[in-house]
Amino acid sequence: MENTTFGKADLTFCKAIVLAALCVMGWSTGAQAQTGLTEVASVHFEGNEFRSDAELRRLVQTRAPSCPAILAVTCALGIDWGRSSIPFSPVMLVEDARRLQLYYQAHGFQGARVVPETALTEDSTVSVTFRIEEGSVFNVGSISFIGDPVPPELGAAVDLPVGAGDPLQSVLIREAADTLARRLRDAGYAYADVFINLDLAAASDTASVAYRVELGPMSTVGPVRVYGNRLLEDEVILARLPFREGQRFSEGEILEGQRSLYELGLVTRALVERDNPLADTDPVIPIRVQIEEGDLHIVGAEGGFDNSECVNVEGRWASRNFVGGGRTLQLQTRLSNILAGTLQSTPLCPQAGTGDFGRLNWLVSADFNQPSFFTRRMTFAAGLYSERLSRKNVFVRETFGLEFAVSRSIAGGSLVNLRFRPQLNRLRAAEVTLCATFLACTPADMDVLSSYTWLSPVGLSFSRDGTDDIVNPTRGYRLLVDLEHASGFTASDYAYLRTFADASVYRRAGSDAVLALRVRAGRIGGVGFAGGLSGEGRFVDIVPSQKRFYGGGANSVRGFAQNTLGPRTLSIGVEELLGRRGPDRAPVCSPEAVRDLSCDGGALAGSDRYQLRPIGGLATLEASAELRFRLYGDALGGAAFVDVGQVWPKELSLDDLEVSPGIGLRYNTAFGPIRLDIAYSFREQEPLQVVTSQIRPFAPDRDAPDDRIDIAARGGPREPIDWVVSEDLALLRPPVLFGDAPGFSWRRFQLQFSIGQAF
């Protein structure tokens, strides 16, 4: 059998190289003799084709000067303060060469050799180069199983991480043995073990792998004892375990029970293990459950910032064993839109609202959670909440509601949730949206849709998180499918069926990059409204504004500001249409043209007098591809992305999808990356409907003289006309061509600032 380890001759050779290099550099010259240490200037790798420099650099301790994470930006700009220097160590250099060689051998390069070289730079620092001879890769020739026979239903050779013809990687060979042993222990063979026999012929580049199986006796679970609990009852803890005394033993269920205990918020540490000596082979295995409990009551607070909500803060109080049984009661309050009115005109949060849309938003809630609801995998939750939520230039919603939900976890990290949310809603500042979206332009119709109405949807969702990291995933996938229905049957004034799906996939692209892909789509159908509206035939697609789809923003198609992708309308004061644009210039429209809805406001399209109002849609589709990569150490990263998407008024259509490419910076923190993205929009000019106030002739018997509309130019003397503003809104027939002209424009760039990955 060929010896593939790093032997004495190799170490002696490396030491001789280092000592010779040090003699050439004059290691004992005056400058070095006074300081006693020489710094490492740079570290290079040569000869490596199958492994990247970044991958190898993480394996060695001999490193070039580095920067702490908090100073990554200044170091990247070449500012040296805060940069740490690494002293050169000949002993460490030899160990690094050995470590690299063993790493190559563990990945199938049995003949790999690594030789370090050093050179003295002009400023008396050491430049290190690792010269690598990778050689050819060894492969697995055959795989066999010996010893005790493996039960056929366990599939000894199925889905193992290594197979015949694969590279001879010791890590995967060991993983295959562990995988088979785990299957056996999950199937009741608690003492099963798998040993590896490796036959590496000297004159061949293939190896034979034999796994020797020792099953041991079939085992069952013995007495289960709980230790360390002060507040939680034994019955509550035992109810979280997926096994009982007398059942067939499963090592997987032991680990699952340990994870399940952490779902009890009071448990801060849990250990579930066999409670018998390691040398014992008794087929009846007692189980020990050791837990540590945290504080019964906790108080927490946090805050955040983005360019659509400005400053937001949140506070929580929780009782984590409320009336016993592991139940929790949490009180929460959240404030957002803090300083929105002040900062909206600055680069800090330009997407925040103004007026009613920029005022303080809030949420107050009380939530109750019952674990182990009938079964260990089911949870019951109930909540009471009150909320004010604004969506810029769309609506302000005030809500009082209840929520009831039953969740059931499924093996593999999946969750099914059934919920019922009866809520009493009232819309404010939504008159333009109601008129443009539902043709509800009279005060009576707007009062019906904006007054208190019941929205009581029943929802069913399925979610699965198969990623390796919740905050910053590098591999795996996420999936969400959500269905929501409301009708008279659920005691709702609105009727609709809303479907939505969101899927993301993450894959490594080399050692320092991650490719992230996302697709999400939604559709709303079966719509209706039970309230009394005039002219029932005119009112179609009546869906609550908060349930319609909106696109654009930091977590959507990033070339568009928050909610501005998809159907939009323009609003303008009627005084702007009727007023003179200069002392000697005529108004854009005559009063008669506004009255009969034929007013054409296109002459003002290039001004700032129009307010863009998103109205949402009934169908949406978005897709994103993002390459995330390392820029400087672990702290600073970058991204290049392309977002595609659209929101449609009714039916999905792929003809007018918007494409938005961009780049971004990521500053990684413990709570997620701080993200700055800049994206470009190619959206061209499009005709948009205009909503304004309707007018009527001045009536001396009921109108005051000052109620008359003033059409004088700004700053000019008052020039009233015999018309007044009506309570109705007007939806003008001629649309206005709005947006940037075709071709490059700096206005097409959109800056997005947020915390956390886009998806």
Side-chain angles (χ1 to χ4, degrees), residues 302-368:
E302 59 187 37
F305 183 90
D306 62 40
N307 55 4
S308 61
E309 280 191 325
C310 286
V311 181
N312 58 82
V313 296
E314 181 177 313
R316 295 180 303 276
W317 173 90
S319 174
R320 299 194 290 185
N321 195 32
F322 182 67
V323 300
R327 304 174 184 91
T328 60
L329 175 66
Q330 176 173 281
L331 305 181
Q332 177 184 4
T333 181
R334 184 177 189 272
L335 302 176
S336 61
N337 260 15
I338 300 174
L339 300 178
T342 303
L343 300 178
Q344 193 273 342
S345 59
T346 72
L348 295 177
C349 49
Q351 298 184 35
T354 57
D356 284 341
F357 305 106
R359 292 176 182 161
L360 188 69
N361 286 333
W362 45 263
L363 168 69
V364 179
S365 66
D367 297 292
F368 170 81

Side-chain angles (χ1 to χ4, degrees), residues 291-310:
I291 70 166
E292 292 181 10
E293 297 171 335
D295 295 329
L296 181 61
H297 300 107
I298 59 171
V299 177
E302 59 187 37
F305 183 90
D306 62 40
N307 55 4
S308 61
E309 280 191 325
C310 286

Side-chain angles (χ1 to χ4, degrees), residues 99-136:
R99 190 179 296 109
L100 290 172
Q101 186 160 315
L102 290 176
Y103 178 76
Y104 266 98
Q105 291 170 353
H107 286 78
F109 296 88
Q110 299 298 315
R113 285 173 55 85
V114 179
V115 177
E117 294 182 358
T118 59
L120 185 64
T121 65
E122 293 181 357
D123 56 355
S124 298
T125 57
V126 178
S127 175
V128 176
T129 300
F130 291 97
R131 299 199 180 277
I132 302 170
E133 296 179 10
E134 294 179 326
S136 59

Side-chain angles (χ1 to χ4, degrees), residues 79-388:
I79 302 173
D80 288 337
W81 56 274
R83 187 187 299 269
S84 62
S85 58
I86 308 298
F88 174 74
S89 169
V91 176
M92 186 183 294
L93 184 67
V94 174
E95 288 300 315
D96 286 340
R98 179 176 181 273
R99 190 179 296 109
L100 290 172
Q101 186 160 315
L102 290 176
Y103 178 76
Y104 266 98
Q105 291 170 353
H107 286 78
F109 296 88
Q110 299 298 315
R113 285 173 55 85
V114 179
V115 177
E117 294 182 358
T118 59
L120 185 64
T121 65
E122 293 181 357
D123 56 355
S124 298
T125 57
V126 178
S127 175
V128 176
T129 300
F130 291 97
R131 299 199 180 277
I132 302 170
E133 296 179 10
E134 294 179 326
S136 59
V137 63
F138 279 58
N139 296 316
V140 177
S142 63
I143 296 179
S144 59
F145 300 89
I146 58 178
D148 295 336
V150 178
E153 65 272 14
L154 298 183
V158 177
D159 295 330
L160 293 181
V162 66
D166 291 343
L168 183 64
Q169 302 187 55
S170 59
V171 175
L172 295 184
I173 291 173
R174 179 71 261 174
E175 183 181 340
D178 294 342
T179 299
L180 181 55
R182 185 170 59 252
R183 289 179 187 172
L184 295 171
R185 293 167 190 162
D186 288 348
Y189 298 96
Y191 303 99
D193 211 342
V194 179
F195 302 92
I196 302 171
N197 293 332
L198 182 64
D199 184 11
L200 184 62
S204 174
D205 61 356
T206 61
S208 299
V209 181
Y211 293 104
R212 180 167 57 87
V213 179
E214 294 183 2
L215 289 178
M218 179 67 73
S219 305
T220 58
V221 176
V224 182
R225 297 182 175 88
V226 180
Y227 302 91
N229 53 317
R230 298 173 292 104
L231 300 171
L232 293 171
E233 301 89 343
D234 286 1
E235 295 75 14
V236 174
I237 296 172
L238 294 175
R240 302 299 302 170
L241 304 178
F243 54 83
R244 297 291 182 270
E245 183 177 353
Q247 292 183 355
R248 188 183 66 178
F249 177 87
S250 170
E251 191 172 82
E253 290 185 349
I254 297 293
L255 297 175
E256 183 182 347
Q258 183 168 298
R259 289 191 296 265
S260 179
L261 289 174
Y262 284 106
E263 296 177 8
L264 297 172
L266 191 59
V267 174
T268 58
R269 184 177 180 273
L271 179 64
V272 182
E273 60 183 354
R274 306 181 192 187
D275 196 15
N276 61 340
L278 293 177
D280 192 2
T281 57
D282 189 340
V284 178
I285 302 176
I287 302 297
R288 176 186 178 89
V289 180
Q290 181 73 46
I291 70 166
E292 292 181 10
E293 297 171 335
D295 295 329
L296 181 61
H297 300 107
I298 59 171
V299 177
E302 59 187 37
F305 183 90
D306 62 40
N307 55 4
S308 61
E309 280 191 325
C310 286
V311 181
N312 58 82
V313 296
E314 181 177 313
R316 295 180 303 276
W317 173 90
S319 174
R320 299 194 290 185
N321 195 32
F322 182 67
V323 300
R327 304 174 184 91
T328 60
L329 175 66
Q330 176 173 281
L331 305 181
Q332 177 184 4
T333 181
R334 184 177 189 272
L335 302 176
S336 61
N337 260 15
I338 300 174
L339 300 178
T342 303
L343 300 178
Q344 193 273 342
S345 59
T346 72
L348 295 177
C349 49
Q351 298 184 35
T354 57
D356 284 341
F357 305 106
R359 292 176 182 161
L360 188 69
N361 286 333
W362 45 263
L363 168 69
V364 179
S365 66
D367 297 292
F368 170 81
N369 185 280
Q370 167 68 65
S372 303
F373 184 64
F374 293 117
T375 71
R376 176 185 62 86
R377 293 182 176 273
M378 292 184 65
T379 301
F380 170 76
L384 170 68
Y385 64 96
S386 178
E387 180 182 29
R388 181 195 191 271

Side-chain angles (χ1 to χ4, degrees), residues 573-639:
V574 70
E575 294 86 354
E576 299 286 355
L577 297 172
L578 297 176
R580 299 187 185 277
R581 290 181 290 161
D584 300 322
R585 303 182 64 183
V588 173
C589 295
S590 66
E592 292 76 14
V594 173
R595 180 70 180 272
D596 63 17
L597 308 181
S598 63
C599 168
D600 184 355
L604 299 177
S607 69
D608 58 356
R609 302 184 188 184
Y610 281 109
Q611 187 177 42
L612 191 63
R613 307 292 293 266
I615 59 177
L618 302 185
T620 185
L621 175 65
E622 292 183 13
S624 298
E626 180 170 289
L627 183 66
R628 302 166 184 171
F629 46 86
R630 189 192 307 263
L631 282 179
Y632 192 88
D634 294 329
L636 191 63

